[in-house]
């Protein structure tokens, strides 16, 4: 996996992007632009990978982070984040995301579809039944539960239940809308910039 990085990415239906394509991606990249043009959304797009569960855990971590930071700022106005609304471009009534990634040593394609439990076809239902979460919780699921279906280019199908409990949620990266900007500058200057070994490790 050494020297394995994105070289291009293309998506349709992710958040507010609609059709989006970026090519000639280098090993190190600087993302700049005005506020509210999609810099953070682009980073969140990179959370989609070959493992459906990991992808959804990543998104859950990001959405929980947004809720927590908003609650800290204003405890009386804690937002309610809907995972489907957060990931899919619902303004265009999209129910699926097309996602294509090329790596320096390979590529993969995936289509993510959101359906109610009652809408699953036979193949999707069989994939869901093999899921440990479904086996443990099928007695409390109902037809209104949202299921995220990941269909990969090798015909593999994975499913994730929208409201399944996930422990030890990770935050895969820290968005810039926090209270730590000055702290980051201070610690970088003190422990990284003046120390060649630390700077080399960071790079």
């Amino acid at each position: 996996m050494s020297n394995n990085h994105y070289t291009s990415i293309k998506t349709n239906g992710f958040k507010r992007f609609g059709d989006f394509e970026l090519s000639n991606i280098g090993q190190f990249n600087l993302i700049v632009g005005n506020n509210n043009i999609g810099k953070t959304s682009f980073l969140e797009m990179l959370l989609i990978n070959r493992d459906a569960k990991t992808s959804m855990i990543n998104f859950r971590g990001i959405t929980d982070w947004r809720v927590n930071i908003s609650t800290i700022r204003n405890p009386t106005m804690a937002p309610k984040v809907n995972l489907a609304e957060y990931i899919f471009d619902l303004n265009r009534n999209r129910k699926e995301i097309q996602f294509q990634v090329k790596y320096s040593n390979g590529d993969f394609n995936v289509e993510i579809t959101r359906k109610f439990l009652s809408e699953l076809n036979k193949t999707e239902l069989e994939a869901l039944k093999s899921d440990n979460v479904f086996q443990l919780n099928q007695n409390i699921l109902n037809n209104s539960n949202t299921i995220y279906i990941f269909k990969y280019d090798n015909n593999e199908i994975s499913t994730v239940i929208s409201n399944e409990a996930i422990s030890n949620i990770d935050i895969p990266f820290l968005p810039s809308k926090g209270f730590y900007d000055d702290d980051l500058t201070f610690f970088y200057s003190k422990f990284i910039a003046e120390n060649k070994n630390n700077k080399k490790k960071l790079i």
Side-chain angles (χ1 to χ4, degrees), residues 2 37 48 55 61 91 100 115 131-132 159 168 195 201:
S2 61
I37 64 169
I48 299 175
S55 299
N91 286 344
Q100 301 173 6
K115 291 184 176 182
D131 188 298
N132 291 332
T159 59
N168 300 321
N195 186 305
K201 288 179 182 179

Side-chain angles (χ1 to χ4, degrees), residues 91-116:
N91 286 344
R92 303 173 190 239
N93 295 317
R94 297 183 189 270
K95 286 191 173 183
E96 63 277 324
I97 299 172
Q98 301 287 339
F99 189 77
Q100 301 173 6
V101 167
K102 291 188 181 297
Y103 290 98
S104 53
N105 65 353
D107 62 85
F108 82 94
N109 302 314
V110 62
E111 177 184 281
I112 308 171
T113 307
R114 60 184 181 90
K115 291 184 176 182
F116 292 125

